[in-house]
Amino acid sequence: MSLPQLDGSIIFIYAKDFEASCRFYGEVLGLERAGELGSDVQIFLLAGCYLAVVKQGVSASATPPRCAAEAGDTAIVGLLCKSTQDVDAYHVRLQGAGLGSVLSAPQRNDTFGLYNMMARDPNGYLVEVQCFLKPDMLKPLKSKL
């Protein structure tokens, strides 16, 4: 028996400082708001998936997850760019944003075949802004959303 094809994906991150995280992803990184699930969940549109910022303590789970600053690194929010120049532009934007922190300047990583920089959002999540050095490294995303 084959499974039906999935229709998309959504990444949930939990924010102790909900408003700062919404500003970080919406205003600083320029992600478009796709919707909300009540007043405590803001959903942003990414190419090929959604990113949901959830106020810490709110969850469909019986034991709501905590933000990365309290729980430790459990995930990286990976944002893909088309070029090294795009990664550089995000680096400049994040440096002057006053929200979150920049951990490293953009650099070439030949081991993984990418050019990337690392930052943390206001609630401690690792945010990696990157581009692949070989454009055909991954199969293209299906644009079903």
Side-chain angles (χ1 to χ4, degrees):
M1 173 186 204
S2 65
L3 292 171
Q5 182 174 342
L6 294 171
D7 200 34
S9 63
I10 187 167
I11 301 162
F12 292 92
I13 60 171
Y14 292 82
K16 191 170 186 175
D17 190 339
F18 179 71
E19 294 302 323
S21 280
C22 289
R23 285 195 325 272
F24 180 82
Y25 290 102
E27 296 170 21
V28 175
L29 292 177
L31 300 184
E32 180 182 342
R33 275 220 168 115
E36 59 186 39
L37 301 174
S39 60
D40 296 333
V41 181
Q42 294 294 315
I43 301 172
F44 296 91
L45 183 61
L46 291 167
C49 74
Y50 297 102
L51 173 68
V53 177
V54 183
K55 185 181 278 187
Q56 185 164 299
V58 173
S59 178
S61 167
T63 53
R66 295 175 294 148
C67 69
E70 292 182 2
D73 289 334
T74 56
I76 295 176
V77 177
L79 303 175
L80 299 176
C81 293
K82 291 182 180 181
S83 70
T84 58
Q85 294 84 3
D86 291 353
V87 174
D88 292 339
Y90 276 93
H91 178 252
V92 169
R93 178 66 180 256
L94 287 166
Q95 279 186 308
L99 281 173
S101 61
V102 173
L103 301 179
S104 67
Q107 57 190 357
R108 185 179 175 99
N109 184 321
D110 290 319
T111 301
F112 295 110
L114 53 88
Y115 181 78
N116 69 324
M117 60 145 301
M118 300 296 286
R120 287 205 184 267
D121 80 0
N123 284 281
Y125 286 96
L126 281 169
V127 177
E128 180 177 15
V129 181
Q130 63 179 301
C131 71
F132 293 109
L133 298 173
K134 289 194 246 174
D136 59 347
M137 184 142 182
L138 298 175
K139 290 182 181 180
L141 287 170
K142 295 179 182 177
S143 59
K144 187 115 165 86
L145 299 174

